[in-house]
Amino acid sequence: MNRNLLSFIVFCTSICICLADDDNLQDACPTNMTAKQNVFINGFPCKNPSSISAPDFKTSSLNHAGDTDNFLHSSVNIVTAADFQGLNTLGLSIARTDLDVDGTVLPHSHPRASELFFLRKGTVLAGFIDTNNTLFQSFIKEGDVILFPRGLLHFCLNAGYEPAIAFSVLNSQNPGVVSISGAIFETNSELIDKITRKMSSIPASELEHIRNATLPKFSRIHIQ
């Protein structure tokens, strides 16, 4: 075989191996909560297979509403493999978002995960901003799902007159959270009101309790 052709085949095979996702070597690998981690790995140590049981794959962490008695009238509870043993090595996390009336989750991103946001109750205005500075936002109602792509800033506002509840699935067992509000914003009512109006471009006739505003700093706006 031609030496150049052989080298090319070996090179292509090496790239495929390097780019391939790691697959599980067993059916499941629940987190060993009692193990002392002396060696730091990309994940958590696994339980002994002989000690794995059904409760490892069940959690009640999202059963109860979060505390929305705060400045933003919202609560986000993310459950990872550190809390839900069965998630370990599966590349998944779950979350619950509670929004009281006028509740807001300010712009943030997950550097290691995309998020599927399922609205269980209420009406919510949700959206994200892409790297072209384009805003995509939609009204979502009970049963709707919106996707927030990995690493992009996204937000949600309660657009109804009752508390809203949403559940999320993220495709990383440690999605991470980068919150621009915590890094550069002070927590005061005037600023939160300004941010809310910046994010919302829905006419006041459609969303009375979120003031009408335009978004001149965004190059394009897509509304559904």
Side-chain angles (χ1 to χ4, degrees):
M1 181 182 293
N2 183 287
R3 179 177 296 180
N4 291 334
L5 177 59
L6 178 60
S7 299
F8 178 74
I9 294 174
V10 172
F11 176 72
C12 291
T13 303
S14 300
I15 291 178
C16 291
I17 292 173
C18 292
L19 294 181
D21 290 335
D22 292 331
D23 290 326
N24 287 348
L25 300 179
Q26 57 276 321
D27 292 333
C29 178
T31 305
N32 187 340
M33 297 294 192
T34 61
K36 184 177 180 181
Q37 193 168 357
N38 296 317
V39 178
F40 293 93
I41 58 176
N42 192 22
F44 295 101
C46 300
K47 293 180 67 174
N48 188 319
S50 64
S51 66
I52 295 175
S53 60
D56 293 332
F57 305 98
K58 174 183 177 295
T59 182
S60 300
S61 299
L62 305 184
N63 277 0
H64 304 291
D67 182 11
T68 58
D69 186 17
N70 53 61
F71 195 78
L72 296 174
H73 304 290
S74 65
S75 170
V76 179
N77 178 24
I78 300 178
V79 177
T80 68
D83 312 294
F84 184 7
Q85 293 168 284
L87 291 176
N88 194 34
T89 75
L90 298 182
L92 294 171
S93 296
I94 54 176
R96 172 174 175 149
T97 301
D98 290 280
L99 295 165
D100 206 349
V101 176
D102 294 327
T104 304
V105 175
L106 292 178
H108 64 282
S109 67
H110 305 292
R112 293 180 289 274
S114 297
E115 178 179 356
L116 283 172
F117 185 89
F118 166 74
L119 190 62
R120 174 64 180 85
K121 176 185 176 183
T123 301
V124 166
L125 173 65
F128 64 90
I129 304 161
D130 72 5
T131 55
N132 293 318
N133 207 31
T134 300
L135 173 66
F136 298 84
Q137 62 181 15
S138 300
F139 275 120
I140 59 173
K141 298 181 179 180
E142 183 175 323
D144 288 344
V145 176
I146 188 170
L147 169 67
F148 301 133
R150 174 180 174 176
L152 298 186
L153 287 174
H154 55 279
F155 62 90
C156 58
L157 316 170
N158 189 338
Y161 298 95
E162 62 176 350
I165 302 171
F167 295 95
S168 298
V169 176
L170 301 99
N171 65 336
S172 170
Q173 74 174 50
N174 184 22
V177 179
V178 177
S179 174
I180 63 171
S181 60
I184 63 175
F185 293 142
E186 295 180 2
T187 305
N188 62 70
S189 58
E190 182 179 351
L191 181 57
I192 298 301
D193 180 65
K194 186 181 298 184
I195 294 170
T196 300
R197 288 186 284 113
K198 282 285 186 183
M199 290 189 297
S200 174
S201 60
I202 306 300
S205 59
E206 298 181 29
L207 187 58
E208 295 178 2
H209 67 285
I210 295 181
R211 296 193 185 106
N212 180 38
T214 57
L215 297 169
K217 292 187 178 181
F218 292 112
S219 56
R220 286 182 296 166
I221 302 173
H222 294 271
I223 304 171
Q224 182 180 13

